[in-house]
Amino acid sequence: MRNMKVKLALASTAVLALTVIGCSKSDDGAKSSPGVSSVATSGATKAPEPRKDITVTAYDTGRVSQDEGTNEQNRWTKWINENGPENVKFTAISFAQIKEKTNVMFASGSAPDLLMVFDPTIRNPLYEQKQLMPLDDLIAKNSVEYKKLLEQNPLLRKAGTKPDGKLYEVGHIQWVNPLRGVIIRTDWLKKLGLEMPKTTDDLYKVAKAFAEQDPDGNGKKDTYGIALAGSMEYTINQMFYAIKPWVVKDGKLTYSWENIKVATDFKKKLYSEGIVDKDFFNDKNMAKAKQDFIAGKVGIISPNFNTPQDIVTQFLDPLQKNVPTATMTLMPFPTSPFGRFTPSLENPVQMTGAIAASSKNPEAVMKYIDFMSKDSTADVLDNGIEGTHTKTVEGCPQIIDADKFKKEVSDITVYMKMLTNTGLRFNKCSTPAVQYKSDPRVQDYYQLLRDTYLTFDLPYAELTHSEHMPQLPKDLAAIVTNTDKQVNSMVGAGNGTVWAKAIVEGDKYTTDDAMKEAMAIWEKAGGKQVEDWMAKWYDENKDKAFLAKDMYEIAKQQDQKYKQIMSEIKK
């Protein structure tokens, strides 16, 4: 999940996992080449303030080539130090070690001035331990760029504010896209005389027909209706509002026992009737399901979408290579007994940084945050150097040499842009009409993706994005972790969990049996304490926390902007 989040949050600027944007001109800092300092040449002015030393964490990506340096020292860390306001020492930490090493640094008194990390479960305990600095006064007195961002985007402040009412985290506004969807074979629908499913009952009937009525016409019963592995299982849970596992009913937050049971009933029926590959438990990364789909043996699949290009290059093209007459489209979420929902959306406000309470130069850190939040800085980290890495074509940056750009720019800067506001920088250069000008199919699928799943009149399938969920106290979190290993409503955990067992054991073990056992395990472990804590948290924070309604507010604003840009392009 983290890898997908990182790809979408940073590697794909706005929608597309390509370089952004830069329709506006950069300031002097953006015009400088790596290794060349910008020097003011105005008349007599007061001497600049001495530069201060600060430390900042960075992700060790393993992507920086040896002749480009390291994640700590390369052409772009040099550029930041020569064009930015302070002297920055970067400390690179791998994804696998980030939690452990962060805890060691803070516990040993060697905390970085600025901790840059995606995972809120790393920042939240540091806040509780009072190891993070409140930022309200610091920003009010020392910031220009980030202060303006907060004023213009109050939800950015809301997302970074902790339960004590103070701001502790900095972050960025991201461009919002659907993260997953459902691909369905339309040629199979047509051949079997079926309509697009509108309800989950319809979905079952269509999937059953795909499995039993020889849609590929080879005279054999060798097709599956749905690929249940991987994210399809997650998608089905979303259709039944059975995620995470909290739902709001009658204004109260409650555990979604009934939703999980009904979703499991649906999966059990698919499994017991041979509509899905019965080995899907072992296909955790969905590799086999994907191969079955592109081989023409599966009618419905639900992958994660990193870019709209993935839909074409990873599914449509290989499918039509094997089955030239195949056609497909994106299926809207059907209505379940609990309603109809919008699938996962990209996190519109991602918090990424926090200043250590022990920082001796917080004012200098704030100047660095301002510099990294500027559009002119983002222009350079997105596009490299004009004339070297990109050239301007019809007002938009165009990569000159893809291999050179990857090696010298995107492989290095991908995790330096954790304060870049892709959601605010989206313009005509970001659109598929420009980015994928050579392939209209990608443009069409991107538009279809938005039209199908950015349905703001429907409720969101989760309480909020996972990065904005509250962090339970350690003892309660342990209850969830321990019971999840036994119960787990997500079958990807293995076929030995309670709900997974209900799917595979037929009449010997029903979903009623599973719910009874799951509830007993939960109660014995102290789950009622977790329910009480979550209910109290929601009651006290439903107006203060960053929830689905806030996600929708930002996504709606962006959708209006997108439609306006596309309208202007089409004129």
Side-chain angles (χ1 to χ4, degrees):
M1 194 69 177
R2 184 201 69 213
N3 289 341
M4 180 187 69
K5 175 184 70 180
V6 171
K7 288 178 184 175
L8 285 163
L10 296 172
S12 68
T13 308
V15 287
L16 305 170
L18 290 178
T19 56
V20 183
I21 306 183
C23 289
S24 60
K25 296 293 183 182
S26 304
D27 63 13
D28 289 342
K31 295 175 183 176
S32 300
S33 299
V36 180
S37 301
S38 297
V39 181
T41 57
S42 58
T45 59
K46 67 177 184 178
E49 293 183 11
R51 293 166 65 92
K52 295 182 179 178
D53 297 331
I54 62 172
T55 54
V56 179
T57 59
Y59 281 109
D60 183 352
T61 65
R63 296 169 63 171
V64 180
S65 65
Q66 188 172 357
D67 54 337
E68 284 294 315
T70 66
N71 287 104
E72 296 172 326
Q73 293 184 325
N74 55 65
R75 69 174 66 218
W76 298 111
T77 59
K78 185 177 182 181
W79 181 86
I80 288 170
N81 275 297
E82 292 182 340
N83 293 278
E86 310 295 350
N87 301 320
V88 186
K89 180 182 179 182
F90 292 93
T91 300
I93 308 172
S94 70
F95 280 107
Q97 297 178 312
I98 187 69
K99 182 172 287 190
E100 176 187 354
K101 291 210 169 184
T102 297
N103 290 337
V104 169
M105 286 191 295
F106 275 84
S108 65
S110 58
D113 292 296
L114 178 61
L115 173 67
M116 297 300 295
V117 60
F118 291 114
D119 190 348
T121 66
I122 295 176
R123 297 190 304 269
N124 289 342
L126 296 174
Y127 156 74
E128 293 168 357
Q129 298 161 15
K130 301 188 183 305
Q131 298 221 51
L132 301 182
M133 181 178 294
L135 305 178
D136 302 87
D137 290 343
L138 181 67
I139 291 172
K141 296 175 183 177
N142 298 279
S143 174
V144 176
E145 296 292 331
Y146 200 78
K147 180 165 67 175
K148 183 168 64 175
L149 274 173
L150 292 176
E151 291 169 351
Q152 295 174 349
N153 303 276
L155 289 176
L156 182 61
R157 177 181 290 276
K158 184 177 186 179
T161 299
K162 293 299 187 184
D164 65 359
K166 297 177 182 179
L167 181 70
Y168 285 87
E169 298 173 333
V170 294
H172 58 173
I173 308 291
Q174 299 193 108
W175 186 256
V176 179
N177 280 310
L179 287 178
R180 61 172 47 84
V182 182
I183 296 176
I184 186 169
R185 287 281 299 272
T186 47
D187 58 322
W188 283 11
L189 286 174
K190 184 177 180 179
K191 180 175 181 178
L192 301 180
L194 302 169
E195 295 183 353
M196 184 71 70
K198 292 183 173 58
T199 68
T200 48
D201 284 342
D202 293 340
L203 179 60
Y204 157 73
K205 293 173 184 176
V206 167
K208 186 175 179 67
F210 283 178
E212 297 179 351
Q213 295 182 24
D214 191 25
D216 62 352
N218 69 354
K220 302 176 183 178
K221 190 178 179 182
D222 59 352
T223 55
Y224 296 114
I226 291 181
L228 192 52
S231 56
M232 183 75 228
E233 195 271 344
Y234 192 97
T235 294
I236 288 174
N237 279 10
Q238 287 191 316
M239 293 176 185
F240 288 87
Y241 195 27
I243 292 291
K244 291 293 170 68
W246 307 103
V247 298
V248 178
K249 292 183 180 178
D250 301 321
K252 300 293 184 181
L253 193 68
T254 184
Y255 201 104
S256 57
W257 290 113
E258 184 62 23
N259 302 63
I260 295 170
K261 178 189 177 300
V262 176
T264 308
D265 282 328
F266 183 83
K267 300 170 203 169
K268 185 181 184 77
K269 186 187 292 188
L270 296 176
Y271 184 90
S272 62
E273 296 184 18
I275 296 171
V276 301
D277 181 355
K278 292 195 173 183
D279 195 37
F280 74 93
F281 284 107
N282 296 318
D283 189 18
K284 295 179 182 179
N285 64 3
M286 218 176 181
K288 184 177 184 299
K290 182 177 176 181
Q291 285 302 312
D292 286 343
F293 180 83
I294 65 179
K297 297 303 178 185
V298 171
I300 303 169
I301 192 169
S302 179
N304 296 320
F305 300 131
N306 288 342
T307 74
Q309 192 176 33
D310 290 345
I311 303 173
V312 172
T313 61
Q314 296 185 24
F315 294 92
L316 180 63
D317 282 347
L319 171 62
Q320 291 186 335
K321 182 178 180 181
N322 293 320
V323 187
T325 58
T327 59
M328 65 184 220
T329 192
L330 299 177
M331 184 188 85
F333 269 25
T335 302
S336 76
F338 304 100
R340 183 167 169 244
F341 302 92
T342 299
S344 300
L345 301 179
E346 186 155 2
N347 184 4
V349 180
Q350 185 176 48
M351 308 318 294
T352 53
I355 300 178
S358 59
S359 175
K360 294 181 173 56
N361 294 312
E363 297 84 1
V365 178
M366 198 65 240
K367 289 180 181 179
Y368 170 79
I369 291 170
D370 270 12
F371 176 73
M372 297 302 289
S373 301
K374 292 172 66 174
D375 281 351
S376 56
T377 302
D379 281 342
V380 179
L381 298 180
D382 278 339
N383 305 319
I385 303 303
E386 172 81 17
T388 299
H389 300 110
T390 53
K391 60 183 178 181
T392 301
V393 178
E394 296 181 357
C396 296
Q398 185 178 93
I399 295 172
I400 297 171
D401 181 319
D403 291 337
K404 179 181 177 68
F405 184 88
K406 182 177 184 297
K407 176 182 177 181
E408 296 185 359
V409 184
S410 60
D411 274 354
I412 304 174
T413 66
V414 57
Y415 296 113
M416 291 182 172
K417 299 184 287 185
M418 293 170 69
L419 291 170
T420 295
N421 293 283
T422 58
L424 303 178
R425 286 167 53 75
F426 190 93
N427 57 33
K428 77 163 188 174
C429 302
S430 318
T431 63
V434 173
Q435 294 283 1
Y436 296 115
K437 192 173 183 179
S438 62
D439 194 343
R441 299 174 306 162
V442 178
Q443 300 177 42
D444 291 343
Y445 269 105
Y446 179 64
Q447 189 61 56
L448 181 62
L449 188 67
R450 296 185 67 85
D451 291 343
T452 304
Y453 300 120
L454 286 179
T455 45
F456 303 120
D457 58 327
L458 301 177
Y460 192 56
E462 302 178 35
L463 181 65
T464 185
H465 191 279
S466 59
E467 292 179 15
H468 298 292
M469 286 291 288
Q471 184 157 327
L472 290 164
K474 187 177 293 187
D475 58 333
L476 300 186
I479 292 173
V480 174
T481 299
N482 293 333
T483 56
D484 193 54
K485 291 176 182 178
Q486 302 174 67
V487 177
N488 205 301
S489 64
M490 301 292 288
V491 297
N495 59 6
T497 62
V498 169
W499 291 112
K501 188 167 64 171
I503 293 173
V504 302
E505 294 200 1
D507 294 338
K508 292 189 299 183
Y509 190 79
T510 68
T511 54
D512 287 326
D513 295 330
M515 187 159 77
K516 183 178 179 181
E517 183 177 354
M519 293 178 76
I521 292 171
W522 178 249
E523 183 178 351
K524 182 177 180 181
K528 181 66 164 56
Q529 299 173 60
V530 180
E531 293 182 45
D532 291 344
W533 189 95
M534 288 293 296
K536 183 173 185 292
W537 173 86
Y538 181 76
D539 190 55
E540 294 176 350
N541 293 278
K542 59 187 174 184
D543 295 323
K544 297 184 290 183
F546 190 91
L547 300 178
K549 66 180 185 298
D550 302 308
M551 296 178 64
Y552 273 10
E553 181 177 335
I554 294 175
K556 284 179 182 178
Q557 293 171 1
Q558 293 181 0
D559 196 46
Q560 291 173 355
K561 181 178 182 179
Y562 173 79
K563 289 174 179 175
Q564 180 182 352
I565 292 171
M566 293 305 295
S567 176
E568 292 171 355
I569 288 175
K570 292 175 182 178
K571 286 181 181 178

